[in-house]
């Protein structure tokens, strides 16, 4: 049974996960928000490896090393920019979570931490994004038992933390 945790904190400081997920942009060449924090903590080697990937389409995931980060891997994914909900944003966001888990499983990564993808600079409504995140992750874990042992949702603000905690309570998984 996979443990799903919900915590508040800085994802770059997590020491008990194999991989942290980066909410990147399609260039994979760094940015602000969690992307900026991850590149700052990982050091220049991360950007060098990202350069060689030549970008990533929205909804997909790419795996790199973790460099100076505590975790061994960074899984970069590109969330959708919120445009009002009529541009398949929900499907693209669900794809981010699913593709990160599939990429992790392929690398035999058994513990993974997610930030709240797209809810910062990309402007996604927090509740809507949280619902997609929790539903997509729980569905993947039910369809692929035994692959991932631990998932941590790492929130950076109290509002997001409360949203996820309420959701997890409702879905009967604390
Ligand atoms: N640890 C965990 N979560 C964080 C951290 C951190 N160190 N820093 C920011 N966050 C949170 C934000 O508060 C937000 O809830 O990550 C969530 C995602 O916000 P952004 O980082 O702004 O990412 P996103 O909304 O997906 O926008 C992506 O921003 O940084 C650029 O290059 C990135 O262009 C891309 C865009």
């Amino acid at each position: 049974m996979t443990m799903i945790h919900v915590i508040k904190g800085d994802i770059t400081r997590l020491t008990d996960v194999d991989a942290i997920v980066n909410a990147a942009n399609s260039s994979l060449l760094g940015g602000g928000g969690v992307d900026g924090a991850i590149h700052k903590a990982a050091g220049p080697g991360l950007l060098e490896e990202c350069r060689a990937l030549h970008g990533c389409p929205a909804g997909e995931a790419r795996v790199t090393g973790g460099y100076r980060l505590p975790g061994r891997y960074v899984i970069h994914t590109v969330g959708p920019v919120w445009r009002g909900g009529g541009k398949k944003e929900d499907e693209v966001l669900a794809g981010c979570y699913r593709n990160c888990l599939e990429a992790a499983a392929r690398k035999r990564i058994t513990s993974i931490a997610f930030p709240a993808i797209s809810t910062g600079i990309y402007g996604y409504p927090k509740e809507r994004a949280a619902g997609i995140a929790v539903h997509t992750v729980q569905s993947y874990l039910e369809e692929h038992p035994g692959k991932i042992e631990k998932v941590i949702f790492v929130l950076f603000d109290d509002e997001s933390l409360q949203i996820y905690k309420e959701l997890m309570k409702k879905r009967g998984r604390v």
Side-chain angles (χ1 to χ4, degrees), residues 11 14-20 70-73 111-113 150 152:
I11 201 167
L14 283 190
T15 54
D16 55 347
V17 281
D18 298 335
I20 62 171
R72 283 178 56 212
Y73 298 97
S111 56
I112 180 171
K150 177 163 70 172
I152 308 178

Side-chain angles (χ1 to χ4, degrees), residues 114-135:
F114 287 99
I117 301 165
S118 281
T119 65
I121 293 166
Y122 280 1
Y124 220 100
K126 294 182 189 303
E127 288 88 349
R128 189 174 175 137
I132 290 165
V134 171
H135 175 74

Side-chain angles (χ1 to χ4, degrees), residues 80-92 124-125 128:
V81 176
W82 176 251
R83 291 195 169 84
K87 303 262 185 232
K88 298 201 172 312
E89 293 98 319
D90 290 354
E91 290 87 331
V92 174
Y124 220 100
R128 189 174 175 137

Side-chain angles (χ1 to χ4, degrees), residues 9-12 23-25 30-37 79 115-123 126 154-157 160:
D10 177 347
I11 201 167
T12 67
N25 61 59
V34 71
D35 195 6
I117 301 165
S118 281
T119 65
I121 293 166
Y122 280 1
K126 294 182 189 303
V154 185
L155 290 323
F156 209 51
D157 61 273
S160 302

